[in-house]
Amino acid sequence: MTGTEKIRFERVTKTFTVRDTKQKGVMQEFTAVKDLSFTVKEGEFLTLVGPSGCGKSTLLDLLGGLSMPTRGRILIDGEKITGPGLDRGIVFQQYALFPWKTARGNIEFGLEAKGVPKQERRERAEHFLALVGLSHFADRYPHELSGGMKQRVAIARSLAFNPDVLLMDEPFAALDAQTRESLQSELLRIWEKTKKTIIFITHGIDEAVYLGERVVVLTPGPGTVKTIVDIPLKSRLEDADIRSHSDFVKARHEVWSLLHEHEYQGAHI
Amino acid sequence: METIKSIQSAVEPRKPKLFVFSSLQKVFKQSIVLVALFLLWEIAPRIGLVDQAFFPKFSSVVVSWWNMVISGELFAHFMASITRSVSGFALALLIAIPLGLMIGWYPLARELLNPVLELFRNTAALALLPVFMLLLGIGETSKVAIVLFACTWPVLLNTIAAVGNVDPLLIKSARSMNISSYQLFLKVILPASVPTIFTGIRMAGTGAILVLIAAEMVGAKEGLGYLITYSQYNFQIPEMYAGILTIALLGLLINQGLSMLERKFSKWKQPVNS
C-alpha cells in the first residue's frame, strides 16, 4: 500500500428522470446519489455497504463509465472518467458471462477486444483460469458451471485484461453461504497476489468488514456517504476463524449500528 | 480446493448402464404409435370400415409409391418442389436476416417499418397467390416468389425480436470492456440472437412447404402439389396418397435438417428440460 490516491469522488450527484407514479404522463426528477465524496488509495480494498436504494449500482455505473454524473466528477489517477475503459474491470452479481462462449472464451473476450494476439490470449486465459482454480473447466459453457464457478470465471475475465481497478457489484450475493465464504477468502488471496485496487459493493455487513480495509457506509434516499470506517484487521487469511475475533466483532458492530441508526429513528415515530 | 473436487465429480457423466436395452426401449416408445397407425390404415380398408376406392390400404399406397419411385416420376416432382421451396427459402433468409438485424439495431428503422411489418405479417401468403400469378405468371417465378414472401416474415420478425431482446446485462458487461459498437454487434448481439433467429427459420421451413404445395395445386405443371391434384382428377387414388406421404416425408426431412443445424449453432444453450 503506497497510499497514493487512485480514485476520487468529488461531490458526485446523479439524478434520473423517472415516470411519476401518481400522475400519469408526468416526469419527475429522482436523485440516486447526492454529494458523494471519498477517495480510494492505490492497492486498497474498499467496501461499500448500504441498504437497497442507496445508489450502489448507480455508483458502479458511474465508476465504470457507463453513465456520467449529473454534477461533480470522478477522477481516476487524477483524470476525469469520460467513458468505459480497460483500466477498470467490472464483476457483476449475475455473472454476465457470454453463454455462447466457454469459460476460456469468456476470459479471452476482453483481450480480443483489446487486440491481444491469439497465442498470448490463450496463455493469459490459462493463467487466470489457474488463478481461480478452474483449469479443468476451460472448455465448459457457463450453463455447465455452478454459480460459484461462474463467478470465478467472471473474476478471471475481469482480471485478464489487467485493469488497475476491480469494481465488484455484490458479486457473491447470489451464492450459497459456504461458496460465498470460500470465494471471499479466494478474492483476498487474489488481491494480495495481484495488488489491484478493489471497490467492492455489498449489502452484507460481515462481507464488508471481512474484505474491506475500509468500509464506506452509505445511507439511502438519496445515497450519501455516512461514515468511512477503518477496519483494523491484519491477518484475515492466516486466522482460521477471523469472524469470531474481537476486532472483527467490534468493527462489525460499529458498521451495523451506523446502518441501523436510520431504522431506529423511524421506529420512534 | 475441496469444493472444486466435489464439483468435478458431480459434473462427470455417469457411465450408461444397459445402454443397448435403454436405446431399444426408446426406439420402441417412439415407434409404437406410428406402427399402430399404419396397421390401422392397412386393416380398416381391408375389413370394409372405409371404402377402398377412396381410402386404399397402406400396402397399395406403398406399392404405387414404389412404382413412381422406379419410374422416376416421383423424383421429378420431388425435385421440382424442393428446388422451388429451397430457392424461395434461401432468398428469404438472405433478405430477412440482414434486414432484421438492421431494423432491430436501429430504433428509427424499427419505428418507421413497424406498421408495414404488422400489416404484412398478418396477410396470409396464400391470399396473395392470385396477385403473384397475375404479376409473375404461372411459371417458376411466382412459386418461388410466394415461398419467399411466406418465409420472409417469420425470419424477419424473429430476427428483429432477437436483436431487441439481447440481455442488457451482457451488453453492459461488453460495454464496460470498452468495445466498439461494431464489435458489440458482431461479438455480442449477433451470437446472442442466433437461437431466436433459428426459431424463425424453422417456422419459415414449415411455411415454405405449406405454401408451395398449395401454390402447386392451383397452377403448376409439375411438383408434389400438382401430383396430388392431378392424381385426384384422374382418379389415381393410391398415387394421390403416395404424393401426400412424400410431402409429409419432405416436411419431416426439412424440419429435422433445420433442427440439426439449430442444435449445432446453439449448443451453448441450456437444454429446456434439464
Side-chain angles (χ1 to χ4, degrees):
Chain A
M1 254 112 288
T2 51
T4 334
E5 182 183 296
K6 185 75 189 169
I7 296 165
R8 170 185 285 273
F9 274 72
E10 277 181 4
R11 299 181 60 90
V12 172
T13 301
K14 176 76 183 174
T15 57
F16 294 101
T17 318
V18 291
R19 201 169 41 83
D20 195 323
T21 44
K22 290 179 198 101
Q23 285 166 277
K24 222 177 171 180
V26 177
M27 300 308 272
Q28 207 179 29
E29 283 250 301
F30 169 76
T31 309
V33 292
K34 197 178 172 196
D35 283 335
L36 272 183
S37 298
F38 64 92
T39 59
V40 188
K41 287 182 287 227
E42 181 146 15
E44 186 179 23
F45 201 134
L46 185 83
T47 51
L48 289 118
V49 67
S52 57
C54 68
K56 287 183 296 223
S57 300
T58 308
L59 210 92
L60 188 107
D61 281 0
L62 291 170
L63 261 171
L66 297 166
S67 63
M68 293 296 133
T70 315
R71 278 189 300 282
R73 53 184 195 158
I74 307 167
L75 304 173
I76 181 160
D77 289 325
E79 276 176 52
K80 200 173 156 187
I81 291 177
T82 52
L86 288 175
D87 54 343
R88 286 150 285 153
I90 306 184
V91 179
F92 297 94
Q93 183 189 332
Q94 308 91 330
Y95 326 121
L97 296 177
F98 301 110
W100 56 89
K101 284 190 175 286
T102 58
R104 180 190 284 122
N106 265 287
I107 296 173
E108 287 182 7
F109 185 90
L111 303 172
E112 223 176 305
K114 211 178 175 184
V116 176
K118 200 172 177 185
Q119 185 58 31
E120 197 188 331
R121 273 202 318 251
R122 193 110 192 147
E123 281 163 16
R124 277 215 240 172
E126 295 298 333
H127 171 75
F128 284 100
L129 276 166
L131 183 74
V132 297
L134 287 179
S135 294
H136 297 300
F137 296 89
D139 295 313
R140 293 219 195 265
Y141 288 99
H143 81 262
E144 299 170 311
L145 300 171
S146 69
M149 292 159 103
K150 280 184 215 169
Q151 200 52 284
R152 285 167 203 261
V153 174
I155 293 171
R157 176 174 67 178
S158 297
L159 288 170
F161 51 80
N162 198 24
D164 296 337
V165 184
L166 205 53
L167 309 170
M168 308 184 86
D169 185 12
E170 305 196 25
F172 307 146
L175 304 173
D176 63 272
Q178 226 170 347
T179 312
R180 188 182 309 137
E181 249 184 53
S182 74
L183 274 179
Q184 284 167 354
S185 47
E186 210 163 308
L187 180 63
L188 283 178
R189 194 171 53 75
I190 290 169
W191 173 57
E192 283 186 354
K193 233 186 241 179
T194 57
K195 308 267 185 293
K196 303 282 176 207
T197 309
I198 299 183
I199 298 178
F200 189 106
I201 294 171
T202 178
H203 59 250
I205 300 172
D206 279 50
E207 189 169 65
V209 173
Y210 175 68
L211 293 172
E213 293 177 291
R214 289 190 300 152
V215 176
V216 178
V217 179
L218 299 167
T219 46
T224 42
V225 174
K226 180 157 189 160
T227 333
I228 299 176
V229 182
D230 279 301
I231 307 296
L233 300 175
K234 287 284 173 287
S235 52
R236 289 176 171 83
L237 285 172
E238 281 111 72
D239 220 321
D241 185 14
I242 189 113
R243 288 174 179 84
S244 51
H245 198 283
S246 64
D247 284 347
F248 183 93
V249 176
K250 224 172 86 190
R252 192 197 164 280
H253 180 71
E254 193 181 346
V255 175
W256 186 92
S257 311
L258 286 164
L259 279 170
H260 287 73
E261 269 170 25
H262 208 70
E263 268 176 40
Y264 289 132
Q265 281 172 9
H268 283 297
I269 298 169
Chain B
M1 284 299 120
E2 190 90 278
T3 48
I4 296 173
K5 248 185 242 162
S6 63
I7 293 164
Q8 212 166 353
S9 62
V11 291
E12 218 74 69
R14 261 181 297 163
K15 259 212 176 105
K17 283 176 192 170
L18 299 168
F19 177 72
V20 179
F21 179 72
S22 69
S23 65
L24 265 180
Q25 206 177 23
K26 199 179 160 198
V27 169
F28 178 76
K29 268 191 205 161
Q30 286 181 339
S31 57
I32 179 67
V33 177
L34 215 57
V35 171
L37 212 64
F38 285 133
L39 268 179
L40 184 70
W41 186 350
E42 181 65 32
I43 294 164
R46 273 179 192 275
I47 60 172
L49 272 179
V50 287
D51 191 340
Q52 281 223 33
F54 302 121
F55 203 99
K57 53 191 194 290
F58 183 56
S59 53
S60 33
V61 171
V62 172
V63 168
S64 48
W65 186 80
W66 185 242
N67 285 336
M68 282 198 290
V69 170
I70 290 176
S71 71
E73 189 192 349
L74 193 67
F75 185 71
H77 290 302
F78 184 82
M79 281 317 285
S81 288
I82 204 140
T83 311
R84 288 167 184 153
S85 53
V86 168
S87 324
F89 180 70
L91 278 173
L93 298 192
L94 280 178
I95 295 168
I97 294 177
L99 193 65
L101 290 173
M102 199 195 77
I103 297 173
W105 187 236
Y106 295 107
L108 181 67
R110 202 166 42 209
E111 277 170 52
L112 282 175
L113 292 172
N114 209 26
V116 185
L117 296 181
E118 281 300 322
L119 181 66
F120 275 116
R121 74 186 283 196
N122 290 310
T123 307
L126 283 175
L128 288 171
L129 185 58
V131 180
F132 278 83
M133 280 167 64
L134 279 174
L135 293 178
L136 301 169
I138 57 162
E140 294 306 299
T141 324
S142 65
K143 313 287 182 303
V144 174
I146 196 145
V147 172
L148 165 67
F149 181 86
C151 292
T152 299
W153 308 112
V155 178
L156 186 64
L157 292 162
N158 269 280
T159 307
I160 296 171
V163 176
N165 290 336
V166 175
D167 185 353
L169 184 67
L170 292 183
I171 297 176
K172 194 169 161 183
S173 166
R175 275 206 194 283
S176 80
M177 288 181 241
N178 201 19
I179 72 171
S180 64
S181 288
Y182 171 71
Q183 278 180 317
L184 179 73
F185 184 78
L186 214 63
K187 302 210 158 145
V188 181
I189 307 286
L190 208 54
S193 305
V194 167
T196 315
I197 295 177
F198 248 102
T199 309
I201 293 179
R202 278 182 65 180
M203 284 162 70
T206 319
I209 299 293
L210 180 89
V211 170
L212 177 72
I213 300 301
E216 284 177 344
M217 283 176 151
V218 178
K221 287 276 163 279
E222 55 177 351
L224 292 169
Y226 166 75
L227 172 69
I228 293 170
T229 34
Y230 173 83
S231 309
Q232 190 211 352
Y233 289 151
N234 294 289
F235 216 69
Q236 297 168 322
I237 301 303
E239 279 78 4
M240 184 190 87
Y241 281 101
I244 294 171
L245 262 187
T246 313
I247 288 166
L249 285 175
L250 176 66
L252 201 66
L253 204 76
I254 288 183
N255 209 348
Q256 290 291 319
L258 290 176
S259 298
M260 243 167 65
L261 272 179
E262 186 175 11
R263 270 199 299 276
K264 191 173 144 59
F265 279 112
S266 34
K267 60 170 187 272
W268 50 269
K269 257 205 134 185
Q270 198 157 4
V272 179
N273 293 322
S274 82

